[in-house]
Amino acid sequence: MNNTKRQEIFRRLSAANPTPQTELEYTTPFQLLIAVILSAQATDKSVNIATRRFFPDHGTPEGILALGEETLGEHVRTINLWKTKTKNVLATCRQLIERHGGEVPADRASLEALPGVGRKTANVVLNTAFRQVAMAVDTHIFRVSNRTGLAPGKNVVEVEAKLLKFVPRQYLMDAHHWLILHGRYVCVARTPKCPECGIVDLCDYRSKTRPA
């Protein structure tokens, strides 16, 4: 795929959705961090249902620690891997209080040092909460990048590097959101909705879905 096509792809995605947002519900960087930790191998919808139970009254590191493992576990037990995530969330809360004054750090190294926080989670927080250029490559973005030819790669790190290199500079800040939403609702895994796709003529995918 050439740069002219990439430019037009993001021009159209931007025109269709000028201010893309995460579908996770949060009001502070801390709540976003916790929601993203919980969202690994889970849907945003399931995470939102769970966090609505405790964010309003316990949406701080101190508040979640006050809940304790048993109560927090009850709130998030509908989420995949909830036991491990409960322990990671509590450990992260403790570390934020002990090392960062209860605030979420705005640098990658400090974020990735938190329990349950990997590169993807750090990228989401850096981009969404702190408006830094970062590309959180999940399964949706990995699929879209490879299927369309936008930034093909064998693994998420390779795709991330290519996206940061190839996405036109003026679209880099919001590219993560456009791509994840496109993969979630249009360029879906099993049967991509090519007839509904606004960039179908720019896509390199050869086995495009035909209209019914």
Side-chain angles (χ1 to χ4, degrees):
M1 179 177 289
N2 59 44
N3 289 332
T4 300
K5 279 189 174 182
R6 294 188 183 100
Q7 182 79 28
E8 180 61 14
I9 283 174
F10 284 100
R11 187 198 67 78
R12 292 184 192 180
L13 293 175
S14 175
N17 185 5
T19 56
Q21 304 290 327
T22 178
E23 293 185 318
L24 291 170
E25 297 174 358
Y26 71 98
T27 57
T28 65
F30 169 74
Q31 291 181 6
L32 175 65
L33 171 63
I34 299 306
V36 179
I37 291 174
L38 293 173
S39 72
Q41 299 182 47
T43 65
D44 288 0
K45 181 179 180 180
S46 68
V47 172
N48 290 338
I49 290 171
T51 56
R52 288 171 195 157
R53 300 178 183 129
F54 61 93
F55 272 180
D57 296 321
H58 296 87
T60 64
E62 296 82 1
I64 289 180
L65 283 176
L67 286 175
E69 185 172 344
E70 183 176 350
T71 301
L72 179 61
E74 286 298 318
H75 288 320
V76 302
R77 66 182 301 122
T78 53
I79 298 174
N80 194 30
L81 304 175
W82 67 273
K83 290 184 179 180
T84 298
K85 291 176 180 178
T86 296
K87 294 180 184 297
N88 283 337
V89 165
L90 290 170
T92 285
C93 290
R94 292 189 192 95
Q95 194 161 310
L96 287 175
I97 292 170
E98 293 170 1
R99 302 184 185 180
H100 303 286
E103 300 295 324
V104 176
D107 67 280
R108 179 184 304 283
S110 297
L111 283 169
E112 291 188 12
L114 296 169
V117 177
R119 185 175 185 84
K120 185 182 74 172
T121 296
N123 279 339
V124 173
V125 174
L126 290 172
N127 179 251
T128 304
F130 299 115
R131 299 302 287 165
Q132 297 180 24
V133 172
M135 199 68 63
V137 179
D138 68 349
T139 55
H140 297 300
I141 295 179
F142 185 79
R143 179 177 64 253
V144 170
S145 297
N146 277 283
R147 182 184 278 167
T148 63
L150 180 66
K154 296 179 181 179
N155 54 62
V156 294
V157 174
E158 188 175 339
V159 169
E160 178 186 335
K162 287 189 175 182
L163 285 171
L164 290 171
K165 178 180 178 180
F166 291 140
V167 173
R169 183 174 299 275
Q170 68 267 41
Y171 299 116
L172 264 175
M173 186 64 74
D174 292 316
H176 157 256
H177 293 300
W178 285 316
L179 292 175
I180 195 171
L181 292 171
H182 190 69
R184 185 173 288 167
Y185 296 110
V186 182
C187 196
V188 295
R190 293 188 177 181
T191 307
K193 301 176 183 179
C194 301
E196 302 173 22
C197 179
I199 59 171
V200 65
D201 57 312
L202 303 169
C203 172
D204 290 346
Y205 186 50
R206 294 183 178 181
S207 304
K208 291 184 174 68
T209 307
R210 296 182 178 182

